[in-house]
Amino acid sequence: MSEPPQLLLGALAGLPWPVELRIHPRARRLRLALDEPRGLLRLTVPRRVSRRAALDWAAQQSGWVEAQLARIEPAEPLAPGATIPLDGEEVLLRWDEAAPRTPRLADGVLSCGGPAERFADRVARWLRDEARRRLVEETRILSARSGIADAPVSVGDAGTRWGSCSASGAIRYNWRLLLAPAYVRAYVVAHEVAHRVHLNHGAGFHALQSELYDGDVAGARLELRRIGPRLKRVGRA
Ligand SMILES: [Zn+2]
């Protein structure tokens, strides 16, 4: 008799999808598989392997998981006619030679003029600038509202992290958060602003994070994990 499947939501740092753990009486070894339609990683565990050991093993497979995801899902270059997520909504990229070179967003369309061969560069720069502008503003507003001191905010494209906070309080975000729904971005902002007070993930940190975030922290984190792989493909040729 096998135990019923168990969902481990957000339990494994470094893995982009939630893991469904299944104890299998006849399994000979640990196995991880992508369940693409359900957006899950299925972890098969032989009966004699401890759950702890199985999860430790799975957490080390992030490189393999990322590689699998990159293979099944194509890159999403910033090309005219393509759609990309922005604030969680699909936005059409349109090239119009007569339009201004600075991209403009209106009614679900991001229009950009100028030479076609520089289209992707201009859109990429605009996305990054827009991300910086919004994340700086969202961080400033949340900090001010909670009486937490302001500190420098920058954006980059760090591999696996969506945000980080240095000992001096400087926050760095991944610009791709602009592509995520606002409530997901707000969760990352609340997380990093909470780090300005607690540079750890202790009880005090979690209490402050919940106070700063006006929503379901676990739900937002899980959604970011689910959509993360796609956000990372946008703009890759
Ligand atoms: Zn943290």
Side-chain angles (χ1 to χ4, degrees), residues 161 163-165 191-192 195 198 200-201 205 209:
R161 301 169 85 182
S164 62
C165 183
H191 184 99
E192 299 309 333
H195 272 319
H198 302 280
N200 53 50
H201 290 125
F205 167 83
Q209 176 180 248

Side-chain angles (χ1 to χ4, degrees), residues 212-235:
L212 295 177
Y213 184 55
D214 190 20
D216 169 20
V217 167
R221 190 174 49 208
L222 188 62
E223 179 64 4
L224 182 56
R225 195 165 281 195
R226 190 185 72 78
I227 64 178
R230 182 182 179 206
L231 302 192
K232 287 176 184 169
R233 291 196 304 274
V234 171

Side-chain angles (χ1 to χ4, degrees), residues 124-175:
R125 198 174 325 120
W126 184 87
L127 289 171
R128 218 176 159 108
D129 288 348
E130 184 69 8
R132 181 184 303 108
R133 192 183 67 71
R134 292 214 213 165
L135 284 159
V136 164
E137 181 70 359
E138 288 163 9
T139 304
R140 192 188 60 73
I141 289 172
L142 185 64
S143 303
R145 211 176 67 198
S146 350
I148 294 171
D150 226 0
V153 171
S154 58
V155 300
D157 194 8
T160 55
R161 301 169 85 182
W162 293 105
S164 62
C165 183
S166 73
S168 66
I171 292 178
R172 191 164 175 78
Y173 295 108
N174 191 309
W175 72 263

Side-chain angles (χ1 to χ4, degrees), residues 31-202:
R31 216 167 49 227
L32 200 59
L34 260 62
D35 186 340
E36 217 191 322
R38 293 166 69 212
L40 283 176
L41 295 166
R42 267 183 291 125
L43 174 60
T44 306
V45 183
R47 194 177 277 296
R48 64 200 153 66
V49 175
S50 77
R51 184 167 305 184
R52 172 89 246 171
L55 294 181
D56 284 350
W57 175 83
Q60 289 161 19
Q61 310 304 313
S62 60
W64 178 84
V65 173
E66 297 279 348
Q68 299 303 306
L69 287 174
R71 191 177 305 166
I72 56 174
E73 316 266 16
E76 297 192 33
L78 299 169
T83 61
I84 61 166
L86 209 160
D87 272 336
E89 305 282 341
E90 292 299 312
V91 163
L92 174 69
L93 303 181
R94 184 158 64 202
W95 177 62
D96 172 2
E97 199 166 10
R101 291 182 179 216
T102 302
R104 189 170 160 273
L105 178 64
D107 303 323
V109 179
L110 189 62
S111 311
C112 174
E117 62 274 16
R118 303 283 296 163
F119 179 87
D121 292 342
R122 286 192 299 278
V123 172
R125 198 174 325 120
W126 184 87
L127 289 171
R128 218 176 159 108
D129 288 348
E130 184 69 8
R132 181 184 303 108
R133 192 183 67 71
R134 292 214 213 165
L135 284 159
V136 164
E137 181 70 359
E138 288 163 9
T139 304
R140 192 188 60 73
I141 289 172
L142 185 64
S143 303
R145 211 176 67 198
S146 350
I148 294 171
D150 226 0
V153 171
S154 58
V155 300
D157 194 8
T160 55
R161 301 169 85 182
W162 293 105
S164 62
C165 183
S166 73
S168 66
I171 292 178
R172 191 164 175 78
Y173 295 108
N174 191 309
W175 72 263
R176 296 169 185 280
L177 287 167
L178 173 70
L179 311 177
Y183 80 92
V184 170
R185 194 165 61 240
Y187 146 69
V188 178
V189 171
H191 184 99
E192 299 309 333
V193 170
H195 272 319
R196 281 202 177 136
V197 179
H198 302 280
L199 271 176
N200 53 50
H201 290 125

